[in-house]
């Protein structure tokens, strides 16, 4: 970034000079012309530990001081956004305050909720997960206090000078000596944007970053600036993007050894007591060692193997052996990490993230399992986790969360149970893997450990410990969890090429297709003019009632009537850009013709009912199951539809009934469906981010559909009244994947048809039993019990027959080996019993049973003949295959006419093997 970007009038008026740091070589601004270092770690050690640089503040006091200050400076205070970034399709968690306004505000598509504004935004970043607890300063969850201004050619709010001035004034208001403050130049690049920024440093601690976002990769009419080999162009908006670390401000105001002691005093004390070393908090030597450790941690990047280097430096400084220091510090670091992680989980679960194996749920489970692992290292019971999270939520304030505390507790308890199961099963999996690599004389590679964690949930520490006990070597980096979090923090943007994209250039000159399906949703016929035809397959009209596929709703079908009286079939409708394409067959239309369009009315009405029913069911599920319910996918159909919802356990039959009852009550209430276009920002502020159930639509305005309490951004067609939906019947519930349940349902006439189908099944079943439908449950139960008794009797008789057969069977002696080759039409368990009766005495048996197909059992008690090899040769003759262990194998084939030939083949195999 060019040096003149930092030549601020405010710096000059305040007498700041630009110096070059003798340690890192970076430029910085200071009021002390003789200063030689920038003030950032590791160039300067922490100066505030034991010597606070602000007046003492708690977390709540510091947050309020910050927000109040900026309110007095003309900023509008806005509420925090959720930590689950539902308004983004590229990231799962809110990682910075500016993420609240990306991409639509920062790109100028929509205005900000206020300008200028101030916010204290909880953020979650897991890229430094392994450093949390160790460094004294790293957190997974932190609040980014911020003030933002969005400048345009039409409205200049404020820019660099005023931003730095406000920072100085804030620090002074908190009791800081601004003579100690330095501003380090730090060009910023990220997320496709760039701009100059300054890091605000005091007492060796970075407390804020002031970013002036003014450049972007999107080409404009202004000349670019090249950064890291990439051209960046001046943006339409110039954005003040600041970030003040709430927890760092509190830490600097208290001067405690670590950030954790300052931010979580109650929780640190509680967990230390539970772990059995709370007395250390009152030990002056221990506090001194913690302080020295934190100072050196501030001077180092402690990722990877450098943790040992840190330990050695601290040990040398205070004059104790490094192993003694490790024993003293490591448990406390685990306490700090547990306290941090449980606050992180409070926000994740309180903001309705459901732990799972995908997306934000994966990250929540990652933090849960890492916390449980550290708790076990401290001999804290697993069940304690829910108590710790409950305490954190109450400290933060339950009203700040959308999810009910009881639901959070149930989610945590279920995750603890799953973790225990994983640990129990994982031991066997790791043992097998360790033996495999031990035999190959190779390390267990990192890829295998990642797979074990991702696919089976087996923690890396468990892999290392169990594999080492087996004599295997494990390639496990110290920052494993950070790497895993990085791999799963952003959604994968897979761009599949649309075969219709080739038409885009030809569509560019066409006007936008008028969407009659929005203007006249109840109409089924219309007239339109043909604007373009592609390959005699796709037709573009100037206006249409045909709804194009989108949002899980299939495209409409129907007919086009030509001026010549010909009928052309519309088999699908698609949207490409701003044009709607009708896929036709069975006829030809001409450009310029005026056509009459007729929708398949019954199909359209059924799709409308099912789409509106989807919204109703989602709302009903949320009412019954909890605030965390969020759509994970949906597909509407003419005869049935499905909706996938995020839920932490299987939906019970009782809950399913409740959901169906609530949904049908909403239908019977016959309330109006309200549909309207609203400004995106205003809609988000009014309704929250549950708007985005089916994804995040583009544009400055979004179509908001309100159905029976459910409010969503939705482009689909809907019934005018909930009563028009008719009956909603849940057909079945299916567990799609961990954390996702699928409801399949039918609405309206489709629900009636499903009911008739179910009645037909019942009537036919009753007819088969010759009873009335009402008597069917008792009758089927009686028949089932009788069948079980008869089955037992059949099994008893079969066993008796097999015993008799075994006594009467005559074996052939081949070189001292008893061999039995015979057709026995018995059930497989009895065949196995007979065969093993021979092999247990060192003999060989080949038994074949007839029926619709041939079944083969081979048993061998002779080391020269493997049952698996023998059965393969026998089954080939029968047109099938078989396999098993060396002593027992089973198989078969469809060709029962060759049973005798198969037995002869088996006999030849045995003779050859026994050299007969």
């Amino acid at each position: 970034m060019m040096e003149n970007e930092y030549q601020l009038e405010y710096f000059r008026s305040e007498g700041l000079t630009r110096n070059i740091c003798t340690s890192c070589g970076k430029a910085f601004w200071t009021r002390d012309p003789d200063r030689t270092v920038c003030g950032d770690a590791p160039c300067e050690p922490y100066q505030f530990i034991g010597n606070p640089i602000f007046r003492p503040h708690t977390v709540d006091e510091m947050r309020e001081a910050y927000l109040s200050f900026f309110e007095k400076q003309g900023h509008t205070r806005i509420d925090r956004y959720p930590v689950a970034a539902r308004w983004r399709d590229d990231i799962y968690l809110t990682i910075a305050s500016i993420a609240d306004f990306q991409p639509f505000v920062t790109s100028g598509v929509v205005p900000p909720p206020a300008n200028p504004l101030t916010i204290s935004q909880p953020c979650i970043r897991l890229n430094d997960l392994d450093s949390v607890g160790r460094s004294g300063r790293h957190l997974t969850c932190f609040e980014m206090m911020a003030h933002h201004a969005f400048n345009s050619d039409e409205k200049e709010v404020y820019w660099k000078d005023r931003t730095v001035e406000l920072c100085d004034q804030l620090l002074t208001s908190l009791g800081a000596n601004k003579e100690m403050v330095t501003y380090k130049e730090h060009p910023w690049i990220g997320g496709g944007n760039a701009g100059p920024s300054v890091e605000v440093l005091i007492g060796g601690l970075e407390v804020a970053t002031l970013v002036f976002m003014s450049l972007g990769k999107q080409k404009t009419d202004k000349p670019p600036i090249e950064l890291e080999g990439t051209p960046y162009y001046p943006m339409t908006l110039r954005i003040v993007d600041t970030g003040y670390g709430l927890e760092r401000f509190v830490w600097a105001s208290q001067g405690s050894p670590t950030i954790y002691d300052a931010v979580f005093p109650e929780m640190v004390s509680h967990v230390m007591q539970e772990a059995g070393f709370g007395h250390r908090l009152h030990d002056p030597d221990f506090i001194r060692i913690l302080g020295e450790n934190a100072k050196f941690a501030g001077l180092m990047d402690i990722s990877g193997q450098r943790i040992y280097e840190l330990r050695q430096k601290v040990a040398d400084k205070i004059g104790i052996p490094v192993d003694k220091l490790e024993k003293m510090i490591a448990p406390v670091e685990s306490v700090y990490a547990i306290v941090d992680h449980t606050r992180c989980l409070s926000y994740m679960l309180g903001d309705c993230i459901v732990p799972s194996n995908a997306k934000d749920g994966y990250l929540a489970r990652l933090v849960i399992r890492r916390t449980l692992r550290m708790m076990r290292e401290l001999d804290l019971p697993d069940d304690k986790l829910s108590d710790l999270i409950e305490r954190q939520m109450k400290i933060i304030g339950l009203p700040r969360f959308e999810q009910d505390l009881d639901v959070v507790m149930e989610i945590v308890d279920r995750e603890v149970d799953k973790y225990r199961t994983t640990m129990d099963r994982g031991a066997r999996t790791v043992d097998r893997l360790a033996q495999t690599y031990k035999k190959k004389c190779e390390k267990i590679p990192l890829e295998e450990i990642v797979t074990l964690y991702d696919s089976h949930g087996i923690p890396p520490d468990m892999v290392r410990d169990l594999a080492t006990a087996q004599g295997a070597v494990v390639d496990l980096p110290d920052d494993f969890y950070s790497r895993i979090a990085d791999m799963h923090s952003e959604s994968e943007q897979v761009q599949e090429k649309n075969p219709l994209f080739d038409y885009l250039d030809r569509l560019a000159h066409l006007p936008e297709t008028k969407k009659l399906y929005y203007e006249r949703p109840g109409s089924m016929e219309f007239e339109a003019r043909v604007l373009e035809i592609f390959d005699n397959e796709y037709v573009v009209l100037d206006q249409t009632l045909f709804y194009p596929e989108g949002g899980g709703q299939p495209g409409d079908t129907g007919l086009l009537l030509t001026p010549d009286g010909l009928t052309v079939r519309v088999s699908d409708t698609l949207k490409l850009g701003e044009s709607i394409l009708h896929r036709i067959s069975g006829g030809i239309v001409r450009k310029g013709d005026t056509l009459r369009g007729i929708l398949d009315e019954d199909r359209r009405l059924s799709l409308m009912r099912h789409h509106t029913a989807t919204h109703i069911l989602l709302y009903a599920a949320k009412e019954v199951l909890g605030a965390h319910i969020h759509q994970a996918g949906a597909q509407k159909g003419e005869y049935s539809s499905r909706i996938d919802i995020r839920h932490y356990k299987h939906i019970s039959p009782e809950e399913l009934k409740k959901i169906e009852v609530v949904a049908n009550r909403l239908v019977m209430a016959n309330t109006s469906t309200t549909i309207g276009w609203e400004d995106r920002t205003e809609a988000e502020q009014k309704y929250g981010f549950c708007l985005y159930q089916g994804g995040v639509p583009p544009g400055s305005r979004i179509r908001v559909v309100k159905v029976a309490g459910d409010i969503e951004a939705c482009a689909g067609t809907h019934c005018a009244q909930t009563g028009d939906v008719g009956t909603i019947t849940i057909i079945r519930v299916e567990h799609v994947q961990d954390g996702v349940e699928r409801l399949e349902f039918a609405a309206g006439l489709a629900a009636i048809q499903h009911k008739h189908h179910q009645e037909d099944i019942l009537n036919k079943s009753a007819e088969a039993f010759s009873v009335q439908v009402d008597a069917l449950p008792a009758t089927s139960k009686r028949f089932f019990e009788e069948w079980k008794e008869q089955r037992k009797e059949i099994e008893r008789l079969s066993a008796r027959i097999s015993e008799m057969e075994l006594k009467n069977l005559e074996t052939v002696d081949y070189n001292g080996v008893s061999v039995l080759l015979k057709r026995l039409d018995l059930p497989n368990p009895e065949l196995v019993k007979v065969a093993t009766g021979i092999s247990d005495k060192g003999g060989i048996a080949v038994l074949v049973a007839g029926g619709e197909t041939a079944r083969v059992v081979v048993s061998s008690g002779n080391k020269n003949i493997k049952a698996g090899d023998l059965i393969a040769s026998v089954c080939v003759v029968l047109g099938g295959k078989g396999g098993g262990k060396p002593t027992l194998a089973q198989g078969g084939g469809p060709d029962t006419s060759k049973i005798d030939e198969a037995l002869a083949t088996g006999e030849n195999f045995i003779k050859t093997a026994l050299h007969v």
Side-chain angles (χ1 to χ4, degrees), residues 685-742:
Q685 295 297 308
K686 277 194 290 186
Y687 311 123
F689 299 102
C690 286
L691 276 169
Y692 304 128
Q693 296 289 338
V696 184
S700 61
R701 291 173 63 78
I702 55 177
R703 186 171 181 261
V704 177
V705 176
K706 303 176 184 177
V707 180
D710 179 77
I711 304 175
E712 296 181 37
C714 177
T717 59
H718 288 276
C719 300
Q721 305 283 135
T722 58
D724 297 339
V725 172
T727 301
I728 297 176
T729 297
I730 298 177
I731 299 171
R732 66 178 61 87
V733 63
E734 181 184 353
H735 182 65
V736 180
Q737 65 183 59
D738 192 32
V740 178
E741 299 286 291
R742 173 171 293 169

Side-chain angles (χ1 to χ4, degrees), residues 271-281 331-332 335 378:
V271 178
M272 290 279 275
Q273 295 290 348
E274 290 290 322
F277 38 84
H279 59 281
R280 293 186 181 179
L281 295 172
V332 182
V335 169
L378 297 179

Side-chain angles (χ1 to χ4, degrees), residues 474-659:
V474 180
D475 181 16
L476 180 62
D478 283 352
D479 59 350
F480 176 86
Y481 286 101
S482 300
R483 295 190 191 192
I484 288 289
D486 273 344
M487 287 166 54
H488 292 271
S489 291
E490 296 182 0
S491 62
E492 294 182 13
Q493 303 293 314
V494 179
Q495 296 291 339
E496 294 185 7
K497 180 172 173 56
N498 186 331
L500 300 181
F501 279 174
D502 294 339
Y503 300 149
L504 276 174
D505 289 342
R506 292 170 62 186
L507 289 170
H509 71 281
L510 297 180
E512 177 182 344
T513 306
K514 190 175 182 181
K515 302 175 181 67
L516 297 180
Y517 51 81
Y518 285 157
E519 298 177 12
R520 296 159 40 197
S523 298
M524 297 294 157
E525 297 186 18
F526 68 103
E527 286 192 350
R529 185 167 57 87
V530 178
L531 299 182
E532 189 61 270
I533 305 164
F534 298 107
D535 303 328
N536 290 322
E537 187 178 9
Y538 293 98
V539 175
V540 180
L541 307 175
D542 63 338
Q543 58 182 8
T544 187
L545 276 176
F546 284 87
Y547 177 81
E549 180 182 0
Q553 180 174 332
D556 281 333
T557 60
L559 302 173
L560 293 177
L561 305 183
T562 71
D564 304 331
L566 298 176
T567 301
V568 178
R569 182 72 189 163
V570 176
S571 60
D572 198 5
T573 311
L574 306 163
K575 188 171 185 286
L576 187 62
E578 296 303 323
S579 296
I580 295 171
L581 281 65
H582 306 73
R583 189 172 190 174
I584 63 169
S585 60
I588 297 174
V589 300
R590 292 185 295 271
K591 191 173 179 179
D593 278 357
T594 297
L595 308 176
R596 183 180 171 205
I598 304 174
L599 273 64
D600 287 336
E601 184 172 354
D602 289 344
R603 183 176 183 275
R604 158 64 88 80
L605 289 174
S606 183
L607 289 171
M608 289 171 66
R609 293 189 192 104
H610 280 97
H611 202 148
T612 305
T614 301
H615 287 232
I616 293 171
L617 266 178
L618 182 66
Y619 184 79
K622 188 173 288 191
E623 287 288 295
V624 173
L625 303 176
H628 60 279
I629 294 299
H630 193 87
Q631 180 177 312
Q635 184 61 51
K636 292 81 181 177
E638 184 177 358
Y639 303 106
S640 68
S641 295
R642 61 174 169 79
I643 179 172
D644 297 343
I645 58 176
R646 296 180 184 176
H647 190 45
Y648 55 90
K649 63 179 179 178
H650 298 331
I651 299 174
S652 69
E654 293 73 22
E655 289 170 331
L656 209 61
K657 289 175 183 175
K658 288 180 182 178
I659 293 170

Side-chain angles (χ1 to χ4, degrees), residues 810-832:
E810 294 183 3
T811 60
V812 181
D813 186 284
Y814 290 145
N815 285 342
V817 178
S818 295
V819 176
L820 175 65
L821 298 117
K822 190 173 181 63
R823 172 171 178 164
L824 282 177
D825 293 330
L826 292 174
N828 268 40
E830 306 312 319
L831 290 177
V832 170

